[in-house]
Amino acid sequence: MTGRFANIIVDISHEKVDRPFQYRIPDDLKTQIAVGMAVMIPFGMGNKLIKGYVMEITDKAEYDENKLKYIDSIVKGGISAKNDSIQLAGWIKNNYGSTMISALKTVLPVKQKRKQIVKKTVICKVDSQTALQKAEVFDQKHQTAKARLMRALSKQSALPQLLVTGKLNITVQTIHALEKEELIEVQAEDIYRNALPENIEKGWQKNQKKYLSVSQNHIVDSIIKDFREGIRRTYLIHGVTGSGKTEVYMELIDHVIAEGKQAIMLIPEIALTYQTLMRFYQRFGDRVSVMNSRLSAGERSDQYERAAKGEIDIMIGPRSALFTPFERLGMVIIDEEHEGSYKSENMPKYHAREVAGALCTIKNAALVLGSATPSLESYYKAKKGEITLFELKERIAGGELAKVYVEDLRDELRRGNRSIFSRRLHTLIEDRLKKHEQTMLFINRRGYAGFVSCRACGYVMMCPHCDVSLSEHTSKYQNTSRLVCHYCGYETQSVTNCPVCGSKYILGFRAGTQQIEELLHKEFPSARVLRMDADTTKNKDSYERILSQFANEEADILVGTQMIVKGHDFAKVTLVGILAADMSLHAGDYRAGERTFQLLTQAAGRAGRSSLSGEVVIQTYQPEHYTIIHAAKQDYEGFYNAEMAYRDLMMYPPAAHMMAVLVLSDKEAIGSEHAKMLVNRAKDRIQKLNRTETMVIGPTEASIGKINDVYRYIFYVKNRDYQVLVALKDDLEHFINKMQWNTDSVQFDFDPINNY
Ligand code: ADP
Ligand code: ZN
Ligand code: ZN
């Protein structure tokens, strides 16, 4: 496209400059400049050079063209945004309330120069007999370094140079000298940084295609039929772990590639295991690449570059892999689509599932979601017919689902058992120790959970307005405690007796991994115990070390937080204990039930993955809670119906939409005042728009009231129409601008997943 003017978004994230600025294109750049390019432009009064992105090239001047400034230059080696990326950024800006530049930065991979990595190998040019003779000659001449290298090479004819200069302590000069004598040569090889671990490359053997089962085939055929006919939809595959979803994904990708298209597959970082990668690599060889958080910025931009050049067809990775710049994207697959990690915690707080939907529309690609426990959002859409639903009901390898017991901890107390282990769990652990099988014990959080419940009747103190559990806040100074709702700020005094049964055993819930470890040592002195939580995994590789120790059967019992529940298969684990399901059930937010159901399902999936059959013990004070009942039966549909009824009644997503507004200030009074002003403004707008069904909740202090000396206030707005919330956000933003508050001091989060 040619034109004389460029409309440019500047690289400053501020509401006030969140619009295109027009510049003149100098003659010498006219043939080079294109939409999406990064350019340097003089900006502001001082004409300081800053970066910007070209959004549009046009012949129409918006002002007197003589007053327009000239673009200074094109940023060398800068990544330029494709038209699709700009559209996608626009979508993110509109739906999550960010500035265009921060949306652009989200979708654009950062260009990073990498250092060339060259692997050098020292190779012996003579046979081992001759090498040994030479070594002896060097010894006689007291040239010990040369002797040492030749002797080493007589045993092994090729050695990495790093080993020679390192372990053998031989200088580069000595190596050069031997090269001159034509005894050795040094081969250099440029390693193109591939993100795959080295041993995966070595293990590559093409094609491990399986014959799909009837139900697997049905899914593949239906989706591919649509694909060939040019129909692009969203599909949801609901199937338990081991039901063959990954095999279906691979078959789909195969077809997509055969049609000349490319695919992105998202998996949660924690599930990016060696086994998964191996399977993809075995099937697709080096047409696959992988992205993960351990890659350096350079490695990452290498992967993006290979994708942009079309050297690969498949990108596997967490959230950010979605922004792989594929020219011919045909399909996006999101495995474990219910995972909370698909939601970004940084501004803009986008959800990868939703952004994937927008991306697929822009690129005309199909979207495939998969999960054993679909998010309520996706299942709700499936029920409404917006998503095509497929089910995989059985495990491929046969293998019974584990037997699940629900143990009533109130009953244990009545019978005088005050231990954290129910009698059944105790017996089963003993049994496994005898049989030399392994046990995993799981506690939702480390330490202290916040909610208050009655150990005698199971009653939990709830907010009367929000129907979520109240959290206990204890003041160290006055030795008093109060119960607070994190949504609406409702407060009440702590109680000493249960309002339902009068028992005095109504307490905050305290149980941590460390305590459990100690108890295990006491009750099962012979057991070898490993513990995995945030404390024991502070070191970078301790996570993998603990898992491999457990896999090697160096321990009988693994105790841990949610970290241990996901994605790992241990053949010898036949018992899983969830010590207090209540801890996740009463996390104080509307998603607690959904998360608990997912967790219990996953935990149950950990037991009995091999030929040994498994048992699961769920301990709880509320065995009558619908989440526990349906989880024990592995009845997703039943859970969905009950949970949707609750969401609908309380207007929680996906029955409605919810916008969290977080107000930050380094001064307590200002934060609180601003939050109040915004709430009043919101209420005022709603009244004017006659949107009576909109609810404003709060403001209140956030559950973490202060982080790094910044005070945090929160309020929520609920409405059944997402666009009403977007419009309200736009209005609040104008208000913030008018008041000249710092724009970073207010954050918006749509359909929040995390607690504030
Ligand atoms: P999921 O992704 O649902 O957990 P997988 O695709 O990993 O399920 O399948 C579970 C196991 O069954 C894997 O070991 C896989 O190789 C195997 N498998 C899947 N489909 C088939 C098939 N059609 N024939 C034989 N084995 C299969
Ligand atoms: Zn009670
Ligand atoms: Zn409340």
Side-chain angles (χ1 to χ4, degrees):
M1 206 200 298
T2 58
R4 294 161 54 220
F5 311 104
N7 296 333
I8 293 171
I9 289 275
V10 298
D11 193 355
I12 300 171
S13 188
H14 195 287
E15 187 66 16
K16 274 192 200 148
V17 294
D18 191 27
R19 60 176 179 86
F21 289 84
Q22 198 163 55
Y23 282 79
R24 292 169 81 169
I25 305 171
D27 284 339
D28 58 328
L29 294 183
K30 269 202 178 113
T31 52
Q32 300 164 49
I33 214 137
V35 168
M37 268 184 179
V39 291
M40 297 304 286
I41 42 172
F43 193 74
M45 306 277 267
N47 280 335
K48 205 176 132 206
L49 281 186
I50 62 165
K51 199 160 99 176
Y53 290 92
V54 179
M55 296 289 105
E56 199 185 357
I57 293 173
T58 172
D59 267 324
K60 199 173 124 252
E62 278 166 20
Y63 305 97
D64 176 1
E65 86 176 71
N66 294 315
K67 287 198 180 138
L68 294 178
K69 298 173 193 172
Y70 278 101
I71 290 175
D72 178 80
S73 56
I74 294 172
V75 176
K76 274 209 192 75
I79 292 236
S80 62
K82 298 266 165 53
N83 233 325
D84 322 335
S85 310
I86 294 174
Q87 272 187 55
L88 190 62
W91 187 91
I92 290 177
K93 169 187 156 61
N94 290 336
N95 282 273
Y96 300 109
S98 73
T99 56
M100 187 63 184
I101 192 70
S102 71
L104 263 179
K105 283 179 163 173
T106 305
V107 306
L108 286 186
V110 182
K111 175 84 178 174
Q112 291 273 353
K113 283 233 161 51
R114 72 179 171 111
K115 271 220 303 256
Q116 194 87 344
I117 292 194
V118 180
K119 187 173 149 197
K120 287 185 176 169
T121 312
V122 177
I123 291 165
C124 190
K125 289 178 76 177
V126 296
D127 63 50
S128 80
Q129 198 64 34
T130 318
L132 210 57
Q133 283 165 8
K134 290 284 175 190
E136 272 157 28
V137 175
F138 287 134
D139 263 340
Q140 280 160 15
K141 294 193 207 160
H142 301 289
Q143 294 175 325
T144 54
K146 284 183 177 178
R148 201 157 62 239
L149 180 54
M150 290 317 289
R151 200 162 276 127
L153 285 169
S154 76
K155 291 192 198 109
Q156 199 178 332
S157 63
L159 295 169
Q161 175 156 324
L162 274 177
L163 184 126
V164 173
T165 52
K167 222 169 177 180
L168 292 177
N169 196 18
I170 285 159
T171 61
V172 178
Q173 283 83 348
T174 307
I175 294 173
H176 284 325
L178 286 171
E179 251 182 318
K180 273 212 185 109
E181 294 180 41
E182 303 223 325
L183 291 172
I184 62 168
E185 68 179 331
V186 177
Q187 274 182 3
E189 181 189 353
D190 174 24
I191 310 172
Y192 198 84
R193 282 197 215 183
N194 195 329
L196 292 164
E198 217 171 296
N199 36 357
I200 284 198
E201 285 178 54
K202 289 202 189 101
W204 175 31
Q205 22 173 304
K206 185 76 180 158
N207 208 357
Q208 298 273 314
K209 196 174 147 95
K210 296 200 163 59
Y211 285 99
L212 296 190
S213 69
V214 175
S215 35
Q216 283 175 318
N217 253 327
H218 167 68
I219 301 175
V220 173
D221 288 349
S222 313
I223 297 177
I224 292 307
K225 183 168 172 286
D226 280 356
F227 198 81
R228 293 223 175 97
E229 289 172 6
I231 300 168
R232 300 290 184 264
R233 288 187 56 90
T234 303
Y235 308 87
L236 170 63
I237 306 175
H238 176 203
V240 294
T241 323
S243 60
K245 294 187 296 297
T246 308
E247 213 57 43
V248 169
Y249 304 150
M250 290 198 290
E251 192 67 22
L252 288 172
I253 291 173
D254 224 344
H255 284 282
V256 167
I257 293 174
E259 300 278 314
K261 302 282 185 170
Q262 293 157 318
I264 294 172
M265 168 142 148
L266 302 188
I267 41 184
E269 176 106 33
I270 196 141
L272 252 176
T273 58
Y274 179 78
Q275 284 110 314
T276 313
L277 295 188
M278 192 72 180
R279 280 170 76 182
F280 274 84
Y281 207 71
Q282 284 177 336
R283 178 114 177 216
F284 300 105
D286 53 13
R287 302 300 295 175
V288 187
S289 188
V290 175
M291 188 90 54
N292 66 50
S293 65
R294 266 175 291 186
L295 298 184
S296 68
E299 287 169 322
R300 218 175 271 246
S301 79
D302 272 9
Q303 301 308 312
Y304 281 133
E305 206 169 308
R306 291 180 68 201
K309 283 191 200 145
E311 289 175 19
I312 53 170
D313 296 318
I314 308 161
M315 178 62 87
I316 304 179
R319 208 167 64 211
S320 59
L322 197 57
F323 305 117
T324 306
F326 277 140
E327 193 67 52
R328 294 170 280 112
L329 185 68
M331 183 175 283
V332 176
I333 296 172
I334 307 184
D335 191 28
E336 316 258 12
E337 64 89 28
H338 62 274
E339 270 287 321
S341 61
Y342 286 128
K343 176 115 189 195
S344 172
E345 282 149 26
N346 309 318
M347 291 294 279
K349 297 184 179 181
Y350 70 89
H351 197 299
R353 193 199 313 122
E354 293 163 359
V355 176
L359 176 67
C360 286
T361 308
I362 293 168
K363 293 292 251 180
N364 195 27
L367 177 58
V368 177
L369 311 173
S371 173
T373 50
S375 61
L376 275 246
E377 276 77 5
S378 296
Y379 209 73
Y380 181 64
K381 284 189 180 155
K383 291 261 159 176
K384 286 201 296 186
E386 287 171 25
I387 291 183
T388 308
L389 178 67
F390 296 107
E391 311 246 6
L392 284 173
K393 292 210 158 55
E394 268 131 48
R395 280 188 175 172
I396 289 278
E400 293 292 299
L401 287 174
K403 177 153 182 40
V404 181
Y405 304 97
V406 176
E407 294 303 307
D408 186 343
L409 291 176
R410 298 169 303 190
D411 195 42
E412 296 294 318
L413 185 73
R414 241 173 269 141
R415 288 165 193 268
N417 176 15
R418 285 161 173 267
S419 150
I420 184 90
F421 307 117
S422 61
R423 287 158 302 154
R424 186 188 298 274
L425 185 57
H426 194 106
T427 316
L428 290 178
I429 293 176
E430 247 165 14
D431 173 67
R432 296 303 133 86
L433 289 172
K434 233 178 270 152
K435 290 200 281 201
H436 298 290
E437 292 173 8
Q438 290 177 302
T439 299
M440 284 168 93
L441 295 179
F442 166 76
I443 189 115
N444 183 37
R445 276 196 231 174
R446 207 160 51 108
Y448 172 56
F451 73 96
V452 168
S453 73
C454 172
R455 303 290 192 270
C457 77
Y459 177 77
V460 176
M461 299 292 291
M462 304 287 272
C463 173
H465 310 294
C466 307
D467 209 14
V468 297
S469 49
L470 296 171
S471 297
E472 190 177 35
H473 286 227
T474 313
S475 156
K476 275 184 212 133
Y477 310 106
Q478 293 149 326
N479 203 20
T480 57
S481 75
R482 53 203 175 96
L483 298 170
V484 182
C485 171
H486 287 321
Y487 280 151
C488 70
Y490 169 85
E491 263 192 56
T492 180
Q493 283 288 307
S494 258
V495 292
T496 48
N497 289 87
C498 172
V500 174
C501 74
S503 157
K504 62 182 193 314
Y505 292 109
I506 184 154
L507 311 160
F509 207 94
R510 288 175 186 81
T513 41
Q514 202 174 343
Q515 255 172 291
I516 290 157
E517 188 188 13
E518 283 159 19
L519 211 65
L520 281 169
H521 286 310
K522 222 161 48 198
E523 296 199 21
F524 309 96
S526 72
R528 297 165 303 165
V529 179
L530 278 171
R531 170 161 67 98
M532 180 136 100
D533 55 26
D535 281 341
T536 60
T537 53
K538 273 197 195 114
N539 289 334
K540 219 176 152 204
D541 39 56
S542 48
Y543 176 74
E544 261 126 56
R545 202 191 57 236
I546 295 172
L547 288 178
S548 74
Q549 274 177 298
F550 193 59
N552 294 335
E553 293 174 48
E554 289 167 32
D556 306 299
I557 302 173
L558 175 61
V559 183
T561 53
Q562 33 265 73
M563 288 180 194
I564 68 171
V565 193
K566 287 178 187 162
H568 309 285
D569 283 346
F570 303 102
K572 276 290 186 93
V573 172
T574 57
L575 176 62
V576 171
I578 293 108
L579 295 173
D582 310 62
M583 285 181 96
S584 95
L585 210 47
H586 302 302
D589 69 311
Y590 75 93
R591 285 180 196 265
E594 183 178 1
R595 268 200 311 268
T596 306
F597 187 84
Q598 289 162 359
L599 210 81
L600 295 179
T601 304
Q602 269 168 351
R606 297 279 76 84
R609 292 304 297 271
S610 62
S611 51
L612 302 167
S613 66
E615 287 174 303
V616 177
V617 179
I618 300 173
Q619 302 190 150
T620 174
Y621 290 96
Q622 272 191 320
E624 66 281 357
H625 196 288
Y626 65 87
T627 303
I628 306 282
I629 291 172
H630 294 303
K633 286 195 291 198
Q634 286 302 291
D635 174 10
Y636 178 84
E637 188 77 22
F639 167 73
Y640 172 83
N641 289 329
E643 180 70 16
M644 265 319 285
Y646 158 68
R647 304 269 179 108
D648 199 35
L649 185 72
M650 300 302 298
M651 270 181 81
Y652 287 125
H657 293 283
M658 187 160 163
M659 173 172 74
V661 185
L662 181 67
V663 182
L664 305 167
S665 174
D666 52 6
K667 296 200 182 58
E668 199 170 359
I670 291 180
S672 146
E673 184 57 28
H674 284 189
K676 272 183 209 142
M677 286 167 78
L678 287 174
V679 163
N680 289 339
R681 170 84 188 184
K683 285 184 174 160
D684 193 49
R685 291 299 299 171
I686 289 159
Q687 210 163 29
K688 285 211 179 89
L689 294 168
N690 202 13
R691 290 285 186 174
T692 42
E693 75 277 33
T694 307
M695 286 164 67
V696 182
I697 304 149
T700 178
E701 198 182 304
S703 63
I704 307 175
K706 190 165 87 166
I707 297 179
N708 286 336
D709 289 323
V710 175
Y711 292 88
R712 294 151 55 88
Y713 291 85
I714 185 86
F715 68 93
Y716 297 89
V717 187
K718 291 197 264 189
N719 191 283
R720 294 196 193 262
D721 183 353
Y722 193 88
Q723 290 312 317
V724 169
L725 297 182
V726 171
L728 188 62
K729 176 222 66 182
D730 287 343
D731 178 74
L732 292 181
E733 262 173 3
H734 286 306
F735 180 73
I736 292 161
N737 265 330
K738 212 175 69 198
M739 302 302 290
Q740 302 198 317
W741 298 348
N742 180 358
T743 33
D744 294 337
S745 70
V746 182
Q747 293 186 3
F748 298 91
D749 186 356
F750 288 86
D751 293 347
I753 282 189
N754 297 318
N755 263 346
Y756 283 95

